[in-house]
Amino acid sequence: TIENNQTKTSFNISSDENFVGFGDVSRENYFHRGKKITCWIQNVKSYICVPFFMSTKGYGLLLNTTYKSIFDLDSHELNNLSIRENNNVFDAYLFVGDNFKEILKRYTTVTGRPAMPPIWSLGLWHICNNISNAKDAVDDAYKYREHNIPCDVIGLEPGWMETTYDFSTKKKWDSVRFPLMLEPFKFRKRT
């Protein structure tokens, strides 16, 4: 059904059926029966939402959307799975297989399979505090070197921006905490 530019689709599910998937939407459980899952990026709560799930009954479903979508997995209506999406079109792929491995293989045939990540991405990552400044970030790097601890990535939280959590495409460095970033960066040889 469609109402207020929102599509609602419902399915009957078995009483012994359970569901896995959806990406990083819950840090509390792997199986989602009885839960309401919102596929929408929310800071700290869900960073990498994927509108795809697999059922213990041998199927998987990918909702082909970038819109906010809500999956109700038997939390509201007994033995019912419903999907709400902020779009007026229901576009989904259904994958069938004997096990999760087969379903996942069919899913990645459509979505693509990842390449092996570069070796540095598997190493130690250090993310600076949200209120860190340029000096703090460089000091952290020196401490790793001083103690002979290999560190492959030193990253910054969104506090590096002039406007924290700036959702625009025109981001600017915080001129007080990162003054050197306002000038063109020049590599200098250390002596």
PDB file of all heavy atoms in Angstrom, residues 156 160-163 171-176 178-179 181-182:
ATOM      1  N   LEU A 156      40.798  11.707  12.317  1.00  0.00           N
ATOM      2  CA  LEU A 156      40.187  12.786  13.090  1.00  0.00           C
ATOM      3  C   LEU A 156      38.680  12.601  13.143  1.00  0.00           C
ATOM      4  O   LEU A 156      38.055  12.265  12.136  1.00  0.00           O
ATOM      5  CB  LEU A 156      40.492  14.143  12.436  1.00  0.00           C
ATOM      6  CG  LEU A 156      41.955  14.542  12.352  1.00  0.00           C
ATOM      7  CD1 LEU A 156      42.107  15.798  11.501  1.00  0.00           C
ATOM      8  CD2 LEU A 156      42.531  14.768  13.733  1.00  0.00           C
ATOM      9  N   TRP A 160      37.297  18.323  13.561  1.00  0.00           N
ATOM     10  CA  TRP A 160      38.266  19.071  12.748  1.00  0.00           C
ATOM     11  C   TRP A 160      37.585  20.141  11.908  1.00  0.00           C
ATOM     12  O   TRP A 160      38.225  21.090  11.459  1.00  0.00           O
ATOM     13  CB  TRP A 160      39.068  18.144  11.837  1.00  0.00           C
ATOM     14  CG  TRP A 160      38.260  17.500  10.741  1.00  0.00           C
ATOM     15  CD1 TRP A 160      37.665  16.271  10.781  1.00  0.00           C
ATOM     16  CD2 TRP A 160      37.960  18.038   9.454  1.00  0.00           C
ATOM     17  NE1 TRP A 160      37.003  16.002   9.620  1.00  0.00           N
ATOM     18  CE2 TRP A 160      37.171  17.089   8.767  1.00  0.00           C
ATOM     19  CE3 TRP A 160      38.259  19.231   8.805  1.00  0.00           C
ATOM     20  CZ2 TRP A 160      36.695  17.281   7.486  1.00  0.00           C
ATOM     21  CZ3 TRP A 160      37.778  19.430   7.514  1.00  0.00           C
ATOM     22  CH2 TRP A 160      37.009  18.461   6.864  1.00  0.00           C
ATOM     23  N   MET A 161      36.271  20.008  11.731  1.00  0.00           N
ATOM     24  CA  MET A 161      35.547  20.926  10.848  1.00  0.00           C
ATOM     25  C   MET A 161      35.193  22.231  11.547  1.00  0.00           C
ATOM     26  O   MET A 161      35.011  22.278  12.754  1.00  0.00           O
ATOM     27  CB  MET A 161      34.232  20.275  10.377  1.00  0.00           C
ATOM     28  CG  MET A 161      34.410  19.091   9.473  1.00  0.00           C
ATOM     29  SD  MET A 161      32.806  18.460   8.945  1.00  0.00           S
ATOM     30  CE  MET A 161      32.688  17.010   9.958  1.00  0.00           C
ATOM     31  N   GLU A 162      35.086  23.272  10.765  1.00  0.00           N
ATOM     32  CA  GLU A 162      34.641  24.570  11.280  1.00  0.00           C
ATOM     33  C   GLU A 162      33.263  24.431  11.928  1.00  0.00           C
ATOM     34  O   GLU A 162      33.003  24.957  13.001  1.00  0.00           O
ATOM     35  CB  GLU A 162      34.592  25.573  10.121  1.00  0.00           C
ATOM     36  CG  GLU A 162      34.259  26.981  10.520  1.00  0.00           C
ATOM     37  CD  GLU A 162      34.317  27.917   9.325  1.00  0.00           C
ATOM     38  OE1 GLU A 162      33.433  27.798   8.446  1.00  0.00           O
ATOM     39  OE2 GLU A 162      35.244  28.736   9.271  1.00  0.00           O
ATOM     40  N   THR A 163      32.377  23.673  11.277  1.00  0.00           N
ATOM     41  CA  THR A 163      31.059  23.359  11.823  1.00  0.00           C
ATOM     42  C   THR A 163      31.014  21.848  12.040  1.00  0.00           C
ATOM     43  O   THR A 163      31.030  21.085  11.081  1.00  0.00           O
ATOM     44  CB  THR A 163      29.929  23.768  10.842  1.00  0.00           C
ATOM     45  OG1 THR A 163      30.071  25.151  10.543  1.00  0.00           O
ATOM     46  CG2 THR A 163      28.564  23.491  11.423  1.00  0.00           C
ATOM     47  N   LYS A 171      33.075  21.591   3.245  1.00  0.00           N
ATOM     48  CA  LYS A 171      33.619  21.567   4.602  1.00  0.00           C
ATOM     49  C   LYS A 171      34.871  22.440   4.710  1.00  0.00           C
ATOM     50  O   LYS A 171      35.639  22.545   3.769  1.00  0.00           O
ATOM     51  CB  LYS A 171      33.937  20.138   4.996  1.00  0.00           C
ATOM     52  CG  LYS A 171      32.684  19.285   5.066  1.00  0.00           C
ATOM     53  CD  LYS A 171      33.018  17.852   5.266  1.00  0.00           C
ATOM     54  CE  LYS A 171      31.848  16.931   5.322  1.00  0.00           C
ATOM     55  NZ  LYS A 171      30.573  17.377   4.932  1.00  0.00           N
ATOM     56  N   LYS A 172      35.045  23.062   5.875  1.00  0.00           N
ATOM     57  CA  LYS A 172      36.219  23.903   6.127  1.00  0.00           C
ATOM     58  C   LYS A 172      36.856  23.468   7.433  1.00  0.00           C
ATOM     59  O   LYS A 172      36.176  23.085   8.375  1.00  0.00           O
ATOM     60  CB  LYS A 172      35.801  25.372   6.233  1.00  0.00           C
ATOM     61  CG  LYS A 172      35.299  25.941   4.919  1.00  0.00           C
ATOM     62  CD  LYS A 172      34.941  27.401   5.078  1.00  0.00           C
ATOM     63  CE  LYS A 172      34.405  27.938   3.765  1.00  0.00           C
ATOM     64  NZ  LYS A 172      33.906  29.290   3.914  1.00  0.00           N
ATOM     65  N   TRP A 173      38.194  23.558   7.489  1.00  0.00           N
ATOM     66  CA  TRP A 173      38.929  23.246   8.703  1.00  0.00           C
ATOM     67  C   TRP A 173      38.635  24.284   9.770  1.00  0.00           C
ATOM     68  O   TRP A 173      38.460  25.461   9.464  1.00  0.00           O
ATOM     69  CB  TRP A 173      40.435  23.243   8.415  1.00  0.00           C
ATOM     70  CG  TRP A 173      40.878  22.064   7.616  1.00  0.00           C
ATOM     71  CD1 TRP A 173      40.948  21.984   6.252  1.00  0.00           C
ATOM     72  CD2 TRP A 173      41.314  20.811   8.117  1.00  0.00           C
ATOM     73  NE1 TRP A 173      41.400  20.750   5.881  1.00  0.00           N
ATOM     74  CE2 TRP A 173      41.641  20.003   7.011  1.00  0.00           C
ATOM     75  CE3 TRP A 173      41.471  20.288   9.394  1.00  0.00           C
ATOM     76  CZ2 TRP A 173      42.099  18.700   7.136  1.00  0.00           C
ATOM     77  CZ3 TRP A 173      41.941  18.987   9.528  1.00  0.00           C
ATOM     78  CH2 TRP A 173      42.245  18.212   8.408  1.00  0.00           C
ATOM     79  N   ASP A 174      38.621  23.861  11.028  1.00  0.00           N
ATOM     80  CA  ASP A 174      38.501  24.787  12.150  1.00  0.00           C
ATOM     81  C   ASP A 174      39.793  25.614  12.191  1.00  0.00           C
ATOM     82  O   ASP A 174      40.873  25.073  12.413  1.00  0.00           O
ATOM     83  CB  ASP A 174      38.319  23.998  13.450  1.00  0.00           C
ATOM     84  CG  ASP A 174      38.156  24.876  14.666  1.00  0.00           C
ATOM     85  OD1 ASP A 174      39.002  25.779  14.855  1.00  0.00           O
ATOM     86  OD2 ASP A 174      37.218  24.652  15.434  1.00  0.00           O
ATOM     87  N   SER A 175      39.684  26.907  11.961  1.00  0.00           N
ATOM     88  CA  SER A 175      40.874  27.765  11.819  1.00  0.00           C
ATOM     89  C   SER A 175      41.644  27.957  13.125  1.00  0.00           C
ATOM     90  O   SER A 175      42.825  28.279  13.104  1.00  0.00           O
ATOM     91  CB  SER A 175      40.474  29.123  11.250  1.00  0.00           C
ATOM     92  OG  SER A 175      39.574  29.768  12.132  1.00  0.00           O
ATOM     93  N   VAL A 176      40.995  27.749  14.261  1.00  0.00           N
ATOM     94  CA  VAL A 176      41.679  27.904  15.542  1.00  0.00           C
ATOM     95  C   VAL A 176      42.446  26.627  15.888  1.00  0.00           C
ATOM     96  O   VAL A 176      43.620  26.669  16.261  1.00  0.00           O
ATOM     97  CB  VAL A 176      40.673  28.252  16.676  1.00  0.00           C
ATOM     98  CG1 VAL A 176      41.355  28.272  18.031  1.00  0.00           C
ATOM     99  CG2 VAL A 176      39.992  29.580  16.375  1.00  0.00           C
ATOM    100  N   PHE A 178      43.160  24.016  13.806  1.00  0.00           N
ATOM    101  CA  PHE A 178      43.982  23.507  12.707  1.00  0.00           C
ATOM    102  C   PHE A 178      44.424  24.658  11.792  1.00  0.00           C
ATOM    103  O   PHE A 178      44.088  24.698  10.614  1.00  0.00           O
ATOM    104  CB  PHE A 178      43.205  22.459  11.903  1.00  0.00           C
ATOM    105  CG  PHE A 178      42.881  21.238  12.699  1.00  0.00           C
ATOM    106  CD1 PHE A 178      41.696  21.139  13.414  1.00  0.00           C
ATOM    107  CD2 PHE A 178      43.776  20.183  12.765  1.00  0.00           C
ATOM    108  CE1 PHE A 178      41.399  20.017  14.171  1.00  0.00           C
ATOM    109  CE2 PHE A 178      43.488  19.050  13.522  1.00  0.00           C
ATOM    110  CZ  PHE A 178      42.306  18.973  14.231  1.00  0.00           C
ATOM    111  N   PRO A 179      45.208  25.619  12.331  1.00  0.00           N
ATOM    112  CA  PRO A 179      45.559  26.806  11.542  1.00  0.00           C
ATOM    113  C   PRO A 179      46.417  26.509  10.316  1.00  0.00           C
ATOM    114  O   PRO A 179      46.285  27.178   9.302  1.00  0.00           O
ATOM    115  CB  PRO A 179      46.312  27.692  12.541  1.00  0.00           C
ATOM    116  CG  PRO A 179      46.801  26.766  13.591  1.00  0.00           C
ATOM    117  CD  PRO A 179      45.789  25.658  13.664  1.00  0.00           C
ATOM    118  N   MET A 181      46.209  24.112   8.290  1.00  0.00           N
ATOM    119  CA  MET A 181      45.446  23.511   7.199  1.00  0.00           C
ATOM    120  C   MET A 181      44.829  24.577   6.297  1.00  0.00           C
ATOM    121  O   MET A 181      44.316  24.276   5.240  1.00  0.00           O
ATOM    122  CB  MET A 181      44.358  22.587   7.746  1.00  0.00           C
ATOM    123  CG  MET A 181      44.900  21.417   8.550  1.00  0.00           C
ATOM    124  SD  MET A 181      46.295  20.548   7.799  1.00  0.00           S
ATOM    125  CE  MET A 181      45.536  19.791   6.405  1.00  0.00           C
ATOM    126  N   LEU A 182      44.878  25.821   6.711  1.00  0.00           N
ATOM    127  CA  LEU A 182      44.313  26.899   5.893  1.00  0.00           C
ATOM    128  C   LEU A 182      45.266  27.289   4.777  1.00  0.00           C
ATOM    129  O   LEU A 182      44.871  27.832   3.759  1.00  0.00           O
ATOM    130  CB  LEU A 182      43.985  28.113   6.762  1.00  0.00           C
ATOM    131  CG  LEU A 182      42.990  27.837   7.886  1.00  0.00           C
ATOM    132  CD1 LEU A 182      42.805  29.074   8.739  1.00  0.00           C
ATOM    133  CD2 LEU A 182      41.661  27.386   7.312  1.00  0.00           C
TER     134      LEU A 182
END
